[in-house]
């Protein structure tokens, strides 16, 4: 199109099209330049972000640990993931993180300030450890980390009513206080022997710091265990004068194999016993009055019980007089009706070679003569204000519990025991109870305690003056107390719930928690009404025999239902296995016991102790080792006179004389084991 510009007939004609063409021709070039510039800027920005992300990724790594905003993972030297922890109480603001040397620290979550750090510690070439701490700065905020347990088999923690080896978790449990409890009466709680320590088959271990207000939960669907620290709605208390700011701190260590990492953790974190209990307690059985006579024990029955032990030609390390020899619970002398001449009775028993121990407990019932005295002197645990004693209910009534954090109360209690021992020539005491669940939910003690289970620790210390022959059923940070620790009472049943099958998993669990002088409760169980497989008020005969055979390979044996309550054949089997215990088991146990003082290594060991790379060995809960050279495989099923046996690689000789020189593990299927036999194998 043309345009005529005014100017007359001979006016100039201007062509505007070339001008428009020039404009259109340059516009793509300008646009391309702008796009190119944007691309260059984007590329530079992306490169900067890439470099920053690489630097941030490197920042968030420390040795074999990778941190992210939601948790962290740990790999082994081969690059495989062996540990994963997720943060459930907050998301880290990674821009607040920095690294200095071997410490990686962060100062914020996405919504608040905190103190968080992971410090790498390499104590030895074969072990890599990480100190982790998440500390809240605002009161009453819960700290929770979730450990994935699907990568391996896990062991440790606490004894439980239904005991499996390795740990078998079912259902869901919101985090609850990780404190000692009587699992006979509270079967869904944690047991009376407990430590915040877990160990896995992939050579990883975690130890929660003792200062943590620690709660434990789990979710089997998610395959996670919840490690939580909190003060609200909890029996844990902050230190006096401190705000209730929760801190979850722990150490995770990774080693070459499960045995070596456990040895490292025990040497580093557990107390060791300072001596070995009296040799005779390992060598000869303890005889208790409980399962046979319950609370109906009296002077005539005790003397008859002792006479029967001698008549049937059994040895006795200690005769244990159980509940109830006093008129009222909390008295410290004998009921004159049931024991009309206790002094003469003890003189007679001593002349016949019997050492006698007494059942004891931390309760003083309100009708005891000592109750008023202890109230006046302030010797009891008190209600939260500290003005009045706190009444508690236990299995033998209502009373108060002695405050073992109070030096005066400790001395009063110890004095009662010393007077009893001096007056009657007693050898020691069986310290019953001591679990935290017998304390009120809210309470006060003379010396404030932030962790309720420290009360268990204070109670176990009362056994120290008598520890050559003493017996305890609860323990928390108590590995250095050199006496026998007894798992909670067993029912006279075959199964995993406080029955025969629970014994090996329970003993192995106690062992990895650092308690090595183990008394595996009474042979045949307690014969409680409605909790007994059998008739005539006695455990099933076959169950009793299989229990007896297993007990013969434990560090110490304890009879309560005597074998002569059955028949002559059972008596002969009992003689056979008490003799075998003395000749074969005791020498090994005593040798290992002397090593425990230095190493803390278990006396009773799982099969993986000598077969660390063997997946099958990680799951076996019906066999065990005494040291490294004696493997035991009892029959634990009713009606069976055979069992499958798993032999780790090595040179073994069976109790029948068979030799197995094997370079890889061997399964012995339907190996015959008669009713009067227990299968065991010696390393040649």
């Amino acid at each position: 199109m043309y345009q005529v510009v005014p100017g007359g007939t001979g006016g100039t004609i201007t062509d505007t099209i070339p001008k428009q063409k020039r404009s259109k021709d340059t516009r793509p070039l300008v646009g391309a330049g702008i796009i190119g510039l944007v691309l260059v800027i984007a590329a530079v920005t992306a490169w900067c972000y890439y470099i920053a992300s690489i630097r941030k990724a490197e920042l968030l790594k420390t040795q074999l640990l990778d941190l992210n905003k939601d948790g962290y993972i740990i790999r082994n030297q081969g690059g495989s993931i062996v540990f994963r922890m997720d943060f459930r109480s907050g998301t880290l603001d990674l821009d607040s993180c920095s690294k200095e040397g071997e410490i990686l620290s962060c100062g914020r979550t996405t919504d608040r300030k905190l103190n968080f750090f992971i410090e790498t510690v390499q104590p030895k070439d074969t072990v890599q450890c990480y100190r982790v701490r998440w500390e809240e700065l605002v009161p009453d905020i819960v700290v929770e980390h979730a450990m994935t347990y699907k990568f391996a088999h896990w062991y440790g923690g606490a004894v439980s009513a239904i005991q499996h080896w390795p740990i078998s978790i079912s259902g869901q449990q919101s985090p609850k206080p990780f404190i000692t409890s009587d699992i006979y009466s509270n079967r869904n709680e944690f047991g009376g022997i407990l430590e915040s320590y877990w160990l896995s088959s992939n050579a990883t271990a975690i130890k929660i710091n003792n200062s943590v207000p620690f709660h434990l939960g789990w979710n089997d669907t998610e395959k996670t265990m919840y490690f939580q620290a909190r003060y609200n709605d909890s029996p844990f208390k902050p230190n006096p004068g401190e705000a209730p700011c929760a801190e979850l701190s722990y150490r995770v260590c990774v080693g070459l194999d499960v045995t070596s990492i456990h040895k490292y953790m025990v040497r580093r974190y557990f107390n060791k016993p300072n001596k070995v209990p009296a040799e005779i307690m390992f060598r000869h059985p303890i005889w208790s009055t409980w399962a046979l006579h319950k609370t109906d024990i009296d002077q005539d029955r005790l003397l008859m019980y002792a006479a029967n032990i001698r008549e049937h030609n059994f040895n006795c390390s200690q005769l244990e007089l159980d509940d109830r020899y006093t008129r009222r619970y909390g008295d410290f002398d004998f009921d004159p009706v049931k024991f009309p001449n206790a002094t003469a009775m003890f003189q007679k028993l001593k002349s016949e070679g019997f050492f006698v121990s007494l059942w004891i407990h931390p309760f003083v019932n309100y009708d005891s003569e000592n109750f008023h005295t202890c109230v006046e002197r302030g010797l009891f645990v008190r209600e939260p204000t500290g003005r009045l004693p706190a009444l508690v209910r236990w299995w033998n009534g209502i009373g108060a519990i002695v405050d073992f954090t109070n030096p005066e109360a400790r001395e009063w209690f110890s004095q009662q025991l010393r007077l009893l021992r001096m007056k009657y020539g007693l050898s020691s005491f069986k310290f019953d109870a001591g679990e935290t669940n017998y304390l009120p939910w809210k309470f006060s003690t003379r010396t404030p305690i932030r962790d309720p289970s420290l009360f268990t620790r204070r109670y176990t210390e009362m056994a120290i003056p008598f520890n050559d022959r003493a017996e305890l059923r609860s323990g928390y940070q108590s590995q250095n107390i050199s006496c026998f620790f007894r798992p909670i009472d067993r029912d006279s049943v075959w199964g995993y719930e406080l029955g025969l099958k629970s014994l090996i998993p329970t003993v192995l669990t106690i062992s990895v928690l650092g308690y090595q002088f183990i008394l595996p409760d009474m042979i045949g169980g307690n014969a409680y009404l409605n909790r007994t497989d059998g008739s005539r008020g006695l455990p099933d005969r076959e169950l009793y025999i299989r229990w007896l055979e297993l007990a013969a390979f434990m560090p110490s044996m304890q009879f309560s239902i005597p074998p002569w309550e059955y028949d002559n054949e059972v008596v002969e089997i009992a003689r056979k296995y008490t003799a075998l215990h003395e000749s074969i088991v005791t020498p090994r146990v005593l040798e290992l016991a002397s090593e425990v003082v230095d190493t803390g290594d278990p006396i009773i060991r799982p099969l993986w102790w000598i077969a660390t790379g063997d997946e099958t060995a990680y799951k076996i809960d019906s066999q065990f080792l005494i040291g490294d050279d004696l493997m035991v495989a009892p029959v634990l099923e009713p009606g069976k006179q055979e069992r499958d046996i798993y032999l780790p690689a090595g040179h073994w000789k069976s109790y029948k004389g068979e030799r197995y020189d094997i370079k890889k593990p061997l399964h012995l299927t339907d190996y015959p084991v008669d009713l009067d036999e227990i299968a065991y194998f010696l390393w040649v």
Side-chain angles (χ1 to χ4, degrees), residues 516-556:
Q516 310 308 342
F517 307 138
I518 299 171
L519 176 62
D521 204 44
M522 302 167 186
I523 292 168
N526 286 271
Y528 291 136
L529 188 64
N530 300 325
R531 290 178 174 173
T532 298
D533 293 338
S535 60
R536 297 191 299 120
L538 292 174
D540 175 73
R541 181 179 184 273
E542 181 186 6
L543 172 66
Y544 183 87
I545 292 171
R546 293 305 192 190
W547 206 306
L548 165 63
E549 292 163 353
L550 171 56
F553 286 85
M554 290 291 162
S556 185

Side-chain angles (χ1 to χ4, degrees), residues 356-370:
V356 183
S357 66
L358 284 185
W359 176 76
I360 205 73
H361 55 83
F363 307 103
V364 179
N365 279 9
Y366 67 89
D367 59 351
S368 167
E369 294 178 358
N370 287 316

Side-chain angles (χ1 to χ4, degrees), residues 16 78 89 99 383 654:
T16 61
S89 49
K99 186 176 181 182
E383 44 77 45
S654 79

Side-chain angles (χ1 to χ4, degrees), residues 33 69 76 123 148-149 173 187 199 203 238-239 295 316 329 424 441 473 535 563 572 612 615 649 657-658:
K69 62 185 177 64
N76 62 17
T148 301
Y149 62 79
Q173 172 63 56
R187 300 203 173 195
L199 172 75
N239 286 326
T295 58
C316 174
Y329 294 103
Y424 297 110
W441 179 252
R473 85 168 194 190
S535 60
E572 288 302 319
T612 55
E615 175 64 23
E658 304 148 324

